[in-house]
Amino acid sequence: RSAYCAASVASLTNILTPALFAGTAEWIARCQNWEGGIGGVPGMEAHGGYTFCGMAALVILKREHLLNLRSLLHWVTGRQMGFEGGFQGRCNKLVDGCYSFWQAGLLPLLHRALHARGDAALSMARWMFDQSALQEYILLCCQCPAGGLLDKPGKSRDFYHTCYCLSGLAIAQHFGSGDLHHEVILGVPENRLHATHPVYNITPEKVVRAVMHFLQQPVPSPEPVA
Amino acid sequence: EIGLIPCPEARYNRSPIVLVENKLGVESWCVKFLLPYVHNKLLLYRQRKQWLNKDELIDITCTLLLLNPDFTTAWNVRKELILSGTLNPLKDLHLGKLALTKFPKSPETWIHRRWVLQQLIQENSLPSLVTKGNLGAAPVERIHRLVQEEMNVCSEAAGRYPSNYNAWSHRIWVLQHLGKLTVKVLLDELSSTKYWVSMHVSDHSGFHYRQFLLKSLIGRTVTDKSVLVQNQMVNEQNPSLQKEEESAGAEAACAEEQSMDLPRHLEEELELCTELIDTYPGHETLWCHSDETLNNSHHSPATSHMAQAMDVDGLNESSSKQGYTQETKRLKRAPMQDSLGPEMEYRFIDKVLSTCRDADQARFATAYRKWLVTFLGQ
């Protein structure tokens, strides 16, 4: 989780150096376990939140191939619930709206990584999870009538679940980017959200603007000020 | 343990604190007065606007943390008190344990606990305060008691919240950093958690812990074997170091003895899975655990070593002998990688598929069967 925060900030602000992340990629890879997912530290149980953070950090560091992508794919696709359509955070746990992003958000990252490896079996229109079923879960089960979104029916709304249910909805609605963009919008057209960047979870335009802005700034020196 | 007593109004002119046997309760009406009061006092202290002496700090942080143990600043104030020798770190283990009875997941409580434990095992840096009480014993015994207590705390917290990730993660951390992952500790934990997981068949964290134990055992077996080989090599080179090697030899033999049991432990784990899957249909965790245990049996260096030992020792020869020793019996039971293992699994799966009425159970069994076919190629 901390590694992702660091990699995310460093890459957007243009202070990412090999020295800053020496050994980080290898350490994250050690957090992948026998289940295929990633835990908080080496040896821990695979967990949706940590798996997203680990994978996204590795994508930023361009070292995602240190992971066993096949077992990761197997684990995350197994986390979509057959009845509910939403995702669980770990094996044998209940569905939770926030995993709409942490778990489903892994599939664009995996798609990209496998595509880079020249995988010919990849779809050119869909992510490797049931996009419609996830949208159904979010729209039908995770909305608070007074506004905002939530974990599951019966829970109360909060900003965290509102953010990640919406982020997950955006992932489920938009495949690919640019020429290869394909939309699947469940329900009325008004349900359509802007696409979100699968690594940073802000809109792609904002990522570009942030990167451009910091590229124009002088890079601070790592030495302490006297 | 601690708890909140639902009591929206103060009915009597008396203290809201209720202590019955070992249970500490706080009437809920007072929290909205108490929490802001102590919270504010601590913040003023931190901002250097209001001084608090050491006893007041201990009291205030204690109150705060029992009401909200995820208040990091309060734990950090106690870290400072511990480092200055004013506060006995054991008190924080006790406070944390109490907080966990009401807040079994509390991340900050577990994090602080690990900091305290790290302080405790760095014996030299501690003031004499710590050697009082049960820590007067020898270091090894002392660490062992700490480990046991942590296992209990984790177990209780795991029972208070299903699939308690933080509690089980802490348990793993304790074994890695305090227990040194000795074979004895691993086997003790395997046996002491067996009943618990049987009573919590959907608790993925509990079963994951058993995978951690089994994999650590497999890892130890490999290490012990290489230690054995190294010792043998040293023996050959230095026959004059006879006495030293005898004890090392005994130790290695002991390790070898325990590592010999590994195939049996894996077999027992598989039996446990089968029994639980039969008794409690439709729990994905059990299937997941079963898959991985079979995986371990197939790939375990211990069992592949067993196969080599059998080849080298010529099992055909020994089976023709009259004596059927404990050793040959164990070797015969060991191989999970011959045709017996998968065949048993197939029979089990087909039985489940033909008799189960639970839709999830059928789905898991079908998936497991597919996995067996692809993975074992039979």
Side-chain angles (χ1 to χ4, degrees), chain B residues 187-203:
Chain B
L187 290 176
D188 282 345
E189 277 295 283
L190 213 50
S191 99
S192 69
T193 53
K194 187 169 180 172
Y195 179 73
W196 197 95
V197 298
S198 308
M199 295 292 111
H200 299 82
V201 292
S202 275
D203 198 311

Side-chain angles (χ1 to χ4, degrees), chain A residues 34-35 40 43-45 90 92, chain B residues 163 165 204-205 208 285 292:
Chain A
W34 57 271
E35 300 172 76
M44 302 309 178
E45 188 186 348
R90 298 181 265 144
N92 222 156
Chain B
S163 267
Y165 193 88
H204 192 72
S205 303
H208 172 268
T285 280
E292 187 58 19

